[in-house]
Amino acid sequence: MQEKHRFTWPHKDLLDVSQLSLDEVNHLLDTGEQFHEINRRPVKKVPTLKGKSVVLFFAEPSTRTKTSFDVAGKRLSADTFALTKSGSSITKGETLKDTALTLQAMNPDVIVIRHWSSGAAQYLAERLDCAIVNAGDGWHAHPTQALLDAFSLRNHWGRSFAGKTVLILGDILHSRVARSNVQLLTKLGASVRLCAPHTLLPAGVHNWPVTVHTSLDQAVQGADAVMCLRLQLERQQAGLLPDLSEYATTYCLTARHMAMANPGALVLHPGPMNRGLEIASELADRPESLVLEQVASGVAVRMAILFLHATRKDGGTK
Ligand code: CP
């Protein structure tokens, strides 16, 4: 990687985007740009993190986040080790604390954790010496998703999102992606709208720095990007959505809706997608859909996150 300037990354852990200043967000995304270039080379491997160890501790299912952290670590020449709930002694009743202390005893540089409990990443960060990266905790936060979403939008809009309007659509109530994105998008200067049925809006949402809608036809007008959310059926309590087909009729994003957005408006989805429920299948496959671009961005951004956290004690960004 070319030396641009020295920047000592100040954070031991990445728990949520709220801990990052605008300068730190831009530095992380700029670092991601440099790694994005490596990902397009015929030989996609550099020795930057040779000798560093990264544990991927995923107590909830994941395709994108787990694989992209694994790819990111390997492309930087770190050694990566994966632990899942079903393949671990969590199934025998071992606590989060004992699991984490056991992993720390192997002296990794970074533990990437996904867990069903909000606050699980912070719990580890307060107890372990190595860097903790939150890969999604309960309904609380998914900072690496928000950072890769911003990275994808930045490729189209440039560094400032001032004057841009982003609509986040769907299951806001259960979404850690929405919570982290609201914080990051507003930090980058965008206006954020939320759209969901009343039952899928969190209590207190009117105190968030957003405008709130229940009509998709109204919410989409003048949007520069629409971020669909996965309907988290596994986290739904009975009765929130009595009829999925009615939900799809009212809240599934279609080409008809995008015709009411601003010209050139972009479509995002963090995945996994329920086609025909959250997003029309043909829209997901159209050029304005960034869904697969988001996946590619995820590798670059997670390379930057691993690099900044694994080398922090080595004397800053080189
Ligand atoms: N977007 C996201 O977190 O996807 P995975 O659950 O597949 O990691």
Side-chain angles (χ1 to χ4, degrees):
M1 208 166 109
Q2 268 189 331
E3 178 147 358
K4 278 185 126 182
H5 55 275
R6 295 191 75 79
F7 186 108
T8 303
W9 190 248
H11 304 287
K12 172 178 139 337
D13 311 295
L14 178 60
L15 304 180
D16 197 5
V17 291
S18 58
Q19 72 185 82
L20 303 178
S21 69
L22 182 58
D23 276 351
E24 288 162 4
V25 169
N26 280 323
H27 178 69
L28 193 155
L29 298 180
D30 289 345
T31 305
E33 302 262 1
Q34 296 180 56
F35 289 127
H36 205 41
E37 187 274 319
I38 290 168
N39 289 331
R40 296 194 200 105
R41 293 180 190 168
V43 177
K44 305 168 190 65
K45 197 169 176 99
V46 290
T48 312
L49 293 187
K50 196 167 171 52
K52 302 287 185 184
S53 309
V54 177
V55 174
L56 309 172
F57 173 20
F58 277 68
E60 273 191 337
S62 168
T63 295
R64 278 145 287 269
T65 312
K66 181 166 172 282
T67 308
S68 61
F69 266 116
D70 198 10
V71 170
K74 286 186 165 77
R75 288 194 177 160
L76 293 171
S77 301
D79 297 310
T80 63
F81 306 89
L83 184 71
T84 59
K85 182 183 173 197
S86 62
S88 77
S89 290
I90 297 173
T91 56
K92 302 177 201 161
E94 189 163 37
T95 62
L96 176 60
K97 181 178 176 183
D98 284 331
T99 304
L101 290 173
T102 300
L103 294 173
Q104 169 150 286
M106 299 177 206
N107 200 19
D109 297 283
V110 182
I111 296 178
V112 178
I113 176 171
R114 170 169 289 189
H115 200 277
W116 63 86
S117 288
S118 297
Q122 178 157 357
Y123 179 87
L124 296 200
E126 289 168 358
R127 286 163 179 77
L128 304 189
D129 297 330
C130 66
I132 303 297
V133 173
N134 185 2
D137 62 328
W139 300 4
H140 169 236
H142 196 347
T144 71
Q145 179 70 45
L147 287 161
L148 77 85
D149 291 337
F151 185 89
S152 303
L153 289 171
R154 213 167 81 134
N155 285 340
H156 295 264
W157 292 348
R159 289 165 70 98
S160 172
F161 293 1
K164 299 293 188 188
T165 297
V166 180
L167 169 62
I168 303 179
L169 168 66
D171 187 356
I172 313 286
L173 175 64
H174 301 100
S175 179
R176 55 198 179 204
V177 173
R179 286 171 176 78
S180 290
N181 259 301
V182 166
Q183 292 183 19
L184 189 58
L185 289 166
T186 52
K187 200 183 292 268
L188 288 164
S191 300
V192 178
R193 297 176 185 167
L194 306 180
C195 181
H198 284 293
T199 51
L200 294 184
L201 288 168
V205 72
H206 292 283
N207 297 322
W208 296 13
V210 298
T211 56
V212 180
H213 301 258
T214 53
S215 159
L216 176 52
D217 278 5
Q218 284 177 9
V220 78
Q221 288 176 35
D224 297 292
V226 183
M227 181 181 293
C228 302
L229 299 174
R230 185 172 71 84
L231 195 54
Q232 300 198 21
L233 297 169
E234 75 278 19
R235 297 191 213 274
Q236 300 271 356
Q237 290 163 5
L240 286 181
L241 276 184
D243 186 340
L244 283 184
S245 65
E246 188 182 325
Y247 177 87
T249 303
T250 315
Y251 291 104
C252 181
L253 189 72
T254 65
R256 181 185 74 78
H257 296 117
M258 291 311 292
M260 292 188 267
N262 278 344
L266 303 167
V267 177
L268 299 94
H269 194 304
M273 292 186 285
N274 290 305
R275 289 174 183 253
L277 186 55
E278 300 134 10
I279 183 169
S281 192
E282 57 94 17
L283 181 60
D285 297 328
R286 275 173 40 163
E288 63 264 41
S289 163
L290 304 188
V291 172
L292 296 179
E293 197 176 317
Q294 287 170 269
V295 176
S297 299
V299 177
V301 167
R302 287 165 177 143
M303 287 169 84
I305 290 165
L306 292 180
F307 170 69
L308 291 171
H309 290 84
T311 60
R312 197 178 69 93
K313 286 193 269 185
D314 301 346
T317 301
K318 299 190 183 70

